[in-house]
């Protein structure tokens, strides 16, 4: 892993470049992550030397902590971190291509990246759908080159299979050719039987497909399902087939059933997928081709400029002298890296590789540290200015600017990290965490030398505020990052731990060769999400054709009305049922697909009950994201456990405890009009009231979950139950519930004070806790 240069010449590992949509990291040469030996995957950091950066030491005169090895060992290779991150992304790791296949992928990726950049300023005259057809024709074949079939073979054949083939097979090349043919067919000016004839002729046949259209549309359908299987596993293709089966066989359902419809024949379904604006070339693919690919390129450029390493180093420097320096550094690193990465699992691995040695020396058990890392990493998908891919889909679905979506996400993001920081402080008091001194320089010196890395992030917000489109804003940010990369100061200090000094300006200058690497990395990172977004057209088109959205909404509302007829309670129950459904859905499919499915199924139910579109969309978005920390899958928690070597299930539950406020806060978006204040809607007074009350709710819930009131002492079971009730009640942002919740919180706090006094009197006159434990 490449080191981060500190003011004193020390170093820290870097974050891999990841796509906002959760794209897999890529190797420095533009290829995919190289597979790690199986023996190296179970507990990559549970034993052996720690990374040497940032250097940590304890002020304890008795010597270093015996619980962990000395952190002066060799660096963990950067590629190992990237490989580990790729294992826990929404998509699977791919091949490391070389030779002709690698050259083809690099050339095609450069062409796709150049087309995406060109489209921002000189859109193709044939329209956006024409561009999407060309974009998919370039990306889909690369999926079959970059991602192996990875099918389980019978035991008698498994021994004959090469253990780690990096070359595409004959089948892969056949699928590449079929993908090019099926994708380019709509625009080829060649007559093929009664079909073909060019783009306009293809559009004119909408609703009346020729046999050739039907055949190639079916081929593209199967290719997209296979691409999703290769990149994300079996579940998303199975969900798509379930919707396809519903569209075809739904007419056989009893017409008295709420979800029954008239039925569609196969040609109607293929027409909806292949030749309509709601199918393969619908909004999800438009978002991938217009926004996500540019932001992945931006993330790769920012990473190669050294920004990721600077963010981690700045986090360590900011808290280097605090009692909870290790925990605060992990949380702050997750937030800062989250501003440029929309990937929860990759951010978890990146911050874990740096901060886990510090957390271990501070005395954190592996499971608790893993929970903290996973919760902080998932915040990457929630943190402006680079949210997950679903945020761009929100902007397109609602017809609003991306800046508005960023505004909606700002207060909830602050509240999310507030809850994690409070949990860190509580854990430090409750668990007796030891102080750890992080041997880095002043944060002000770091900002003076490397603070220019914030410039492009700020520039995106400024451009958006000036009315510049999100696509142009990110291109301008890329250009700014490239220019500023030549400002990196030289590191002429003496070597540390035997390492030779490096010239930081040479290491991070974005020369033409490094720009090519960033461009290829960005396009490579969008391959999987493009397959997911195109396949999502199966879901959206089927829902549109059959009317499933309103039918499912009526079914969901009817279930709530069967329990109560009170409109307010019906809304609450519907929101709770929707939250459960979205969480379960997110366990099975990637965040982007989870949002698309949730929006077409759950969104109409919330809208029918009077919830505003922004609140409904952000509700669905947050629960789609939180699937990454939800047991029993919890990709971010699995990644954290791999870093710390902790037990998997306890790590998941610790993650859930850290992220608990995030599960409850979205409920406030929809159950009361005042909840719109959390999205920055409704004026200063509403926003301030909603933010203050919800912050109190988050704090009370953190105390209830952690069992400790900072500055006072431990909370017993009665106080924790009262605190949990108070926190939930406060989320109902109306005067009476807020008053009741505040009173319950006060009673719980008073109970902790009484418990502390009783413990003090029973301890023979000595305080139950040292003074330093209460600060």
């Amino acid at each position: 892993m490449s080191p981060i240069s500190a003011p004193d010449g020390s170093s820290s590992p870097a974050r891999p470049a990841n796509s906002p949509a959760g794209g897999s990291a890529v190797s420095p040469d533009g290829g995919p992550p190289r597979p790690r030996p199986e023996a190296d995957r179970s507990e990559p950091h549970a034993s052996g030397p720690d990374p040497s950066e940032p250097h940590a030491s304890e002020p304890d005169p008795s010597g270093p902590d015996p619980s962990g090895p000395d952190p002066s060992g060799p660096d963990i290779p950067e590629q190992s971190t990237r490989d580990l991150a790729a294992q826990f992304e929404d998509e699977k790791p791919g091949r490391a291509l070389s030779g002709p296949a690698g050259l083809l992928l690099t050339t095609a990726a450069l062409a796709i990246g150049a087309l995406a950049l060109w489209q921002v300023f000189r859109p193709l005259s044939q329209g956006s759908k024409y561009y999407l057809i060309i974009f998919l024709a370039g990306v889909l074949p690369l999926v079959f080159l970059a991602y192996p079939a990875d099918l389980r073979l019978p035991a008698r054949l498994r021994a004959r299979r090469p253990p780690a083939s990096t070359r595409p097979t004959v089948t892969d090349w056949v699928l590449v050719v079929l993908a090019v043919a099926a994708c380019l067919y709509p625009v080829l000016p060649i007559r093929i039987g009664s079909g073909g004839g060019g783009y306009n002729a293809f559009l004119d046949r909408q609703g009346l497909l020729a046999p050739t259209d039907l055949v190639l549309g079916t081929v593209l359908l199967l290719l997209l399902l296979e691409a999703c299987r290769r990149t994300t596993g079996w579940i998303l293709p199975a969900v798509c087939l379930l919707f396809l089966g519903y569209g075809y066989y739904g007419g056989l359902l009893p017409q008295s059933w709420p979800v029954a419809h008239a039925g569609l024949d196969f040609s109607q379904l293929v027409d909806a997928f292949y030749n309509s604006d709601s199918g393969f070339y619908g909004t999800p693919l438009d978002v991938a081709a217009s926004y996500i690919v540019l932001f992945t390129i931006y993330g790769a450029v920012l990473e190669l400029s050294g920004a990721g390493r600077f963010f981690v180093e700045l986090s360590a420097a900011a808290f280097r002298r605090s009692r909870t320096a290790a925990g605060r550094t992990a949380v702050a690193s997750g937030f800062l890296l989250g501003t440029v990465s929309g990937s929860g699992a990759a951010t978890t691995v990146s911050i874990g590789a740096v901060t886990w040695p510090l957390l271990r020396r501070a005395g954190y058990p592996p499971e608790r540290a893993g929970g903290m890392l996973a919760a902080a990493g998932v915040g990457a998908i929630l943190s402006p200015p680079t949210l997950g891919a679903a945020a761009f889909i929100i902007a397109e679905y609602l017809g609003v600017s991306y800046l508005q979506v960023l505004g909606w996400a700002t207060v909830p993001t602050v509240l999310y990290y507030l809850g994690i920081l409070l949990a860190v402080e509580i854990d430090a008091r409750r668990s007796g965490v030891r102080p750890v001194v992080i041997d880095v320089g002043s944060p002000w010196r770091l900002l003076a030398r490397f603070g220019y890395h914030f410039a492009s992030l700020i520039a995106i917000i400024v451009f958006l505020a000036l009315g510049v489109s999100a696509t142009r804003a990110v291109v301008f940010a890329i250009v700014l990052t490239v220019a500023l990369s030549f400002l990196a100061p030289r590191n002429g200090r003496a070597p540390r731990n035997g390492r030779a000094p490096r010239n930081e300006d040479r290491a991070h200058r974005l020369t033409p060769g490094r720009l090519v690497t960033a461009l290829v990395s960005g396009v490579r990172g969008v391959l999987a999400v493009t397959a997911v977004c195109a396949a999502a057209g199966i879901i959206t088109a089927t829902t549109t054709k059959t009317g499933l959205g309103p039918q499912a909404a009526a079914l969901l509302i009817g279930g709530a009305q069967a329990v109560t007829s009170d409109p307010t309670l019906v809304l609450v129950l519907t929101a709770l049922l929707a939250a459960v459904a979205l969480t379960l859905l997110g366990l099975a499919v990637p965040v982007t697909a989870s949002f698309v499915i949730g929006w077409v199924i759950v969104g109409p139910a919330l809208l029918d009950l009077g919830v505003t579109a922004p609140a409904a969309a952000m509700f669905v978005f947050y629960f789609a994201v939180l699937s990454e920390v939800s047991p029993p899958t919890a990709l971010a928690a699995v990644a954290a456990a791999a870093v710390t070597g902790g037990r998997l299930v306890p790590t998941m539950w610790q993650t859930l405890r850290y992220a608990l406020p995030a599960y409850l806060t979205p409920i406030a978006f929809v159950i009361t009009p005042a909840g719109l204040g959390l999205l920055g809607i409704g004026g200063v007074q509403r926003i301030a009231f909603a933010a203050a009350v919800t912050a109190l709710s988050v704090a009370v819930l953190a105390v209830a979950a952690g069992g400790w009131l900072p500055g006072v002492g431990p909370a017993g079971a009665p106080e924790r139950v009262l605190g949990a009730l108070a926190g939930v009640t406060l989320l109902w942002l109306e005067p009476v519930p807020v008053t009741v919740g505040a009173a319950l919180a006060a009673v719980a706090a008073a109970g902790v004070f009484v418990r502390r006094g009783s413990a003090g009197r029973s301890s023979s006159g000595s305080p139950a806790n040292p003074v330093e434990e209460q600060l």
Side-chain angles (χ1 to χ4, degrees):
M1 183 179 301
S2 60
I4 296 179
S5 295
D8 58 358
S10 63
S11 54
S12 297
R15 177 187 67 86
N18 300 292
S19 75
S24 59
V26 295
S27 61
D29 60 357
R34 294 174 176 83
R36 306 174 67 211
E38 289 298 326
D40 197 29
R41 293 183 179 177
S42 57
E43 296 182 1
H45 299 291
S47 61
D50 295 336
S52 60
E53 295 87 27
H55 294 278
S57 60
E58 296 181 43
D60 184 357
S62 62
D65 172 27
S67 64
D70 179 53
S72 59
D75 288 332
I76 299 175
E78 182 177 5
Q79 191 63 44
S80 296
T81 299
R82 292 179 174 178
D83 293 344
L84 185 62
Q87 294 179 48
F88 303 105
E89 289 289 343
D90 284 340
E91 66 266 13
K92 299 177 180 179
R95 294 186 178 107
L97 295 176
S98 60
L103 180 62
L104 176 61
L105 185 142
T106 299
T107 304
L110 283 174
I112 294 166
L115 176 63
L117 293 170
W118 178 266
Q119 176 74 6
V120 173
F121 299 99
R122 294 288 187 272
L124 299 180
S125 58
Q126 296 89 340
S128 61
K129 186 173 180 179
Y130 188 93
Y131 165 66
L132 296 181
I133 291 172
I134 301 299
F135 182 83
L136 187 62
V139 169
L140 186 59
L142 299 186
V143 172
F144 299 111
L145 288 180
Y147 292 88
D150 196 25
L151 293 171
R152 295 288 182 181
L153 298 177
R156 59 187 178 85
L157 298 178
R158 205 171 297 164
R160 304 177 188 174
R161 181 184 180 184
S165 176
T166 59
R167 291 185 298 178
T169 64
V170 174
T171 302
D172 295 331
W173 286 109
V174 170
L175 294 178
V176 167
V177 173
L178 287 175
V180 172
C183 290
L184 288 181
Y185 166 77
V187 300
L188 291 178
I190 302 172
R191 278 287 175 185
I192 305 176
S194 58
Y199 182 56
N200 291 329
F202 178 76
L203 294 181
D204 290 341
R205 292 194 298 273
Q206 185 172 1
L208 296 170
L209 294 185
T212 311
D213 301 334
L214 184 61
V215 170
L216 289 173
T218 304
V219 169
L220 184 55
L221 169 66
L222 296 175
L223 288 172
L224 285 172
L225 292 176
E226 169 61 9
C228 285
R229 187 199 66 78
R230 290 188 178 211
T231 56
T232 67
W234 287 96
I235 296 180
L236 181 56
V239 171
C240 292
L241 288 174
L242 181 64
F243 274 83
L244 180 63
Y246 170 74
Y248 188 75
Y249 293 106
L252 302 179
L253 296 174
Q255 292 302 303
S256 59
W257 288 17
V259 295
H261 61 87
L264 300 169
D265 61 36
F266 189 72
S267 63
Q268 289 177 304
L269 288 169
V270 173
D271 178 75
F273 301 152
Y274 199 32
N275 201 355
S276 77
D277 293 334
S278 62
F280 301 146
Y281 305 109
T283 298
L285 181 61
D286 190 13
V287 166
S290 302
Y291 297 96
I292 299 173
V293 65
L294 296 177
F295 274 86
T296 56
I297 294 172
Y298 169 62
V301 168
L302 204 60
E303 167 63 22
L304 287 177
S305 72
R309 294 174 13 194
F310 161 69
F311 291 151
V312 176
E313 190 75 14
L314 180 63
S315 302
F319 303 114
R320 68 191 189 283
R321 298 189 184 280
S322 67
R323 173 184 178 84
T324 54
R328 291 181 183 180
T329 297
V331 177
S333 298
F335 172 73
L336 289 176
L337 291 180
T339 60
V340 295
S341 168
S343 170
T347 305
T348 297
V349 171
S350 299
I351 62 176
V354 180
T355 59
W356 162 233
L358 305 179
L359 295 170
R360 177 168 56 187
R361 292 185 64 82
Y364 283 93
E367 293 78 16
R368 184 165 296 170
M372 180 193 307
L373 295 172
V378 166
I381 315 179
L382 307 174
S383 300
T386 305
L387 302 172
F392 298 99
I393 298 178
I394 290 174
E396 290 295 311
Y397 277 167
L398 302 188
V400 300
S401 69
Y402 183 58
L403 182 62
Q404 284 185 271
V405 180
L406 294 183
W408 297 341
T410 299
V411 175
T413 299
V414 172
L415 293 173
Y416 177 78
Y417 280 102
L418 171 65
I420 299 177
L421 280 173
L422 288 172
V424 167
E425 299 297 322
I426 288 170
D427 280 351
R429 274 69 177 176
R430 184 181 184 186
S431 304
V433 171
R434 295 181 295 274
V436 173
V437 177
I438 304 176
D439 184 16
V440 293
S442 164
W444 303 112
R445 290 180 60 193
L446 274 175
L447 283 171
R449 294 184 63 189
F450 304 106
Y452 62 84
H453 287 302
F454 284 113
S456 62
L457 297 172
I458 297 172
I460 290 178
I461 303 298
V462 172
F463 284 130
L464 291 175
L466 293 176
V468 178
S469 67
T471 53
R472 293 196 174 196
V474 72
V475 173
F476 293 151
I478 291 171
V479 174
L480 180 61
T481 302
V482 173
L484 292 177
S485 70
F486 290 87
L487 297 180
R490 291 180 181 271
N491 180 5
R493 298 183 179 273
R496 188 168 191 170
N497 291 337
R499 298 186 188 88
R502 300 187 313 153
N503 285 332
E504 290 296 328
D505 56 342
R506 292 183 180 178
H508 299 304
R509 282 178 178 174
L510 291 170
T511 58
R514 292 171 65 79
L515 282 176
V516 168
T517 298
L519 199 62
V520 173
S521 298
V523 173
R524 173 62 195 265
V526 84
L527 295 184
V529 75
T530 298
V532 170
C533 287
I538 300 171
I539 297 166
T540 55
T542 302
T543 303
T544 301
K545 281 287 187 180
T546 61
L548 178 61
Q551 294 168 337
L555 197 62
L556 192 62
I557 296 172
Q561 289 176 337
V563 178
T564 177
S565 59
D566 183 84
T568 302
L569 294 180
V570 167
L571 176 58
V572 173
L573 286 176
T574 302
L576 293 175
L577 290 173
V580 172
L582 289 168
T583 301
L584 294 176
L585 176 65
L587 299 178
V589 298
V591 172
T592 305
S594 178
F595 173 81
V596 171
I597 299 171
W599 179 248
V600 300
I601 301 298
V602 172
L606 298 175
L607 296 175
D608 288 348
L609 292 174
V611 177
T612 63
M618 294 304 288
F619 177 90
V620 176
F621 171 65
Y622 270 81
F623 279 104
V625 169
L626 291 172
S627 63
E628 289 215 3
V629 295
S630 301
T633 54
L635 287 177
V638 175
V643 172
T644 65
R647 293 169 296 162
L648 183 56
V649 174
T651 299
M652 288 183 178
W653 288 114
Q654 289 293 333
T655 303
L656 193 61
R657 180 174 68 85
Y658 277 102
L660 178 63
Y663 277 90
L664 301 176
T665 301
I667 302 291
F669 296 168
V670 299
I671 63 175
T672 173
L676 291 174
L678 294 174
L679 302 178
I681 300 174
V684 176
Q685 185 175 357
R686 174 187 279 182
I687 295 171
F689 170 77
V693 173
T694 308
L696 176 60
S697 171
V698 167
V700 174
L701 288 171
V703 171
W708 192 280
L709 182 60
V712 182
E719 293 84 12
R720 297 176 72 175
V721 171
L722 280 176
L725 291 175
V728 172
T729 305
L730 286 167
L731 291 175
W732 198 306
L733 298 173
E734 296 293 339
V736 173
V738 168
T739 302
V740 173
L744 290 174
V747 172
V752 177
F753 274 100
V754 171
R755 183 179 298 275
R756 176 194 177 189
S758 300
R761 288 190 296 271
S762 63
S763 61
S764 302
S766 60
N769 299 293
V771 174
E772 61 269 22
E773 292 292 330
Q774 302 168 16
L775 298 179

